[in-house]
Amino acid sequence: MDLLAAIKIKLDSVDNQVESAWRSDWDALYEEIQPGERRTVRSAIDKFPGLTMVMLRTKAAMMMDAVLETLEDIPVCLNEDKMNILCEYVLNYFDFDRYLQRIDNFIGAIERKFGRTGRTFKNEEWRTDIPKSLFSCGVKNTILDLKKTINADFTIMTLKFSNPKPTTQSKLSTVNQGLELKPNFCGIGINLNALIEMLSQRLKKK
């Protein structure tokens, strides 16, 4: 197995870890919903976009940390072509279509939960068009921002690791420095917060 293939495996692992944490927080948010209590329903719908934005930023930060850590810990270099391949591999995790339908899936789950209690969830009544629109814009803007930062980060790493110097000190990648990770965003995201805390502790050691 070559270095490029090994890093891809690490990235797949990060993706699974972050998605699992997001799904656990999704389940916790869903469990808070009581169809007979409007406040819990409104709160869950309003919190869902924030939960997903935190997930995207956490995923980007952890992926770039995994790449940087690997490249700094071994003497082998990746040439520019392989670094470009690796960059594209990371960017593919942030395809719009992978995330845009998630709020529809969440609201669909709420509808089914209402149905099991004999109630009807009406999108018009709950004005789900507003959070759906905000979610769509939020996901697109967040992903565009992350892709821009990831590209910049790989440009810097390509220059650094295509001809590494023995005295080069470990530094945080620009994506980790630029990401605004907010634990307890909207008061939710227990499992994502755990990943953010873990990442923060790792970065403090660098």
Side-chain angles (χ1 to χ4, degrees), residues 174-194:
T174 56
V175 73
N176 283 330
Q177 292 173 327
L179 285 175
E180 188 179 4
L181 298 178
K182 294 183 177 180
N184 297 312
F185 189 95
C186 296
I188 59 173
I190 294 174
N191 293 283
L192 285 174
N193 282 330

Side-chain angles (χ1 to χ4, degrees), residues 1 15 28 30 35 45 71 82 114 122 165-166 194 202 204:
M1 180 185 297
D15 181 59
Y30 175 79
I45 294 174
L71 293 178
K82 288 188 175 181
F114 266 64
K122 297 180 180 179
K165 298 179 181 179
R202 285 167 57 83
K204 288 177 182 178

Side-chain angles (χ1 to χ4, degrees), residues 4-107:
L4 184 60
I7 294 176
K8 287 181 177 180
I9 291 174
K10 290 185 68 172
L11 291 170
D12 291 341
S13 177
V14 169
D15 181 59
N16 290 332
Q17 186 178 12
V18 176
E19 288 289 339
S20 177
W22 176 84
R23 183 67 200 192
S24 294
D25 290 334
W26 189 103
D27 290 338
L29 191 59
Y30 175 79
E31 289 301 319
E32 292 178 6
I33 298 172
Q34 303 297 323
E37 299 180 17
R38 292 186 62 89
R39 176 187 57 80
T40 64
V41 182
R42 183 79 272 162
S43 176
I45 294 174
D46 290 343
K47 288 178 179 178
F48 186 79
L51 177 66
T52 306
M53 302 308 115
V54 170
M55 180 272 291
L56 288 169
R57 293 187 176 277
T58 304
K59 183 182 294 189
M62 292 187 67
M63 284 187 169
M64 296 310 297
D65 181 65
V67 172
L68 183 64
E69 180 184 39
T70 302
L71 293 178
E72 287 186 328
D73 285 349
I74 59 175
V76 180
C77 302
L78 288 179
N79 60 34
E80 184 174 354
D81 289 340
K82 288 188 175 181
M83 287 294 283
N84 288 336
I85 291 172
L86 189 56
C87 180
E88 287 301 316
Y89 194 79
V90 172
L91 292 174
N92 285 337
Y93 285 104
F94 299 94
D95 181 74
F96 293 126
D97 293 337
R98 185 179 182 186
Y99 304 99
L100 289 178
Q101 299 302 315
R102 296 193 180 197
I103 193 167
D104 290 324
N105 295 337
F106 185 65
I107 291 176

